[in-house]
Amino acid sequence: MTARDAAAPVHLGDCFRCDRGGLQVSRVGELIGPYGETPLFACRSCAERLMGMGHHAHETPVRPYVTTPSR
């Protein structure tokens, strides 16, 4: 467990990713649209998987990152 995990508030709820209910979940983000925002809660295993996917995508992007040409 990291310091970030310890600081994240945890409560019982539904995981948006695996659709299981009654789990300990933490808020991992939100969907923002024209009519407001919807909070996203994930269980620990799904949150860890999402973080792993983000690290992998940053290390091996599908497309090269676009940089601003220097003048």
Side-chain angles (χ1 to χ4, degrees):
M1 181 183 331
T2 65
R4 180 180 169 108
D5 294 332
V10 176
H11 64 276
L12 293 180
D14 300 337
C15 176
F16 88 96
R17 190 166 184 279
C18 66
D19 291 328
R20 294 184 295 166
L23 300 171
Q24 289 185 343
V25 294
S26 297
R27 186 171 178 166
V28 294
E30 59 273 327
L31 293 174
I32 300 173
Y35 303 108
E37 76 176 42
T38 301
L40 299 175
F41 293 90
C43 64
R44 178 180 292 267
S45 62
C46 287
E48 288 175 358
R49 178 153 180 169
L50 288 168
M51 288 190 301
M53 290 168 60
H55 291 301
H56 176 74
H58 184 71
E59 293 169 358
T60 56
V62 175
R63 302 187 303 248
Y65 286 104
V66 177
T67 58
T68 307
S70 56
R71 293 181 187 194

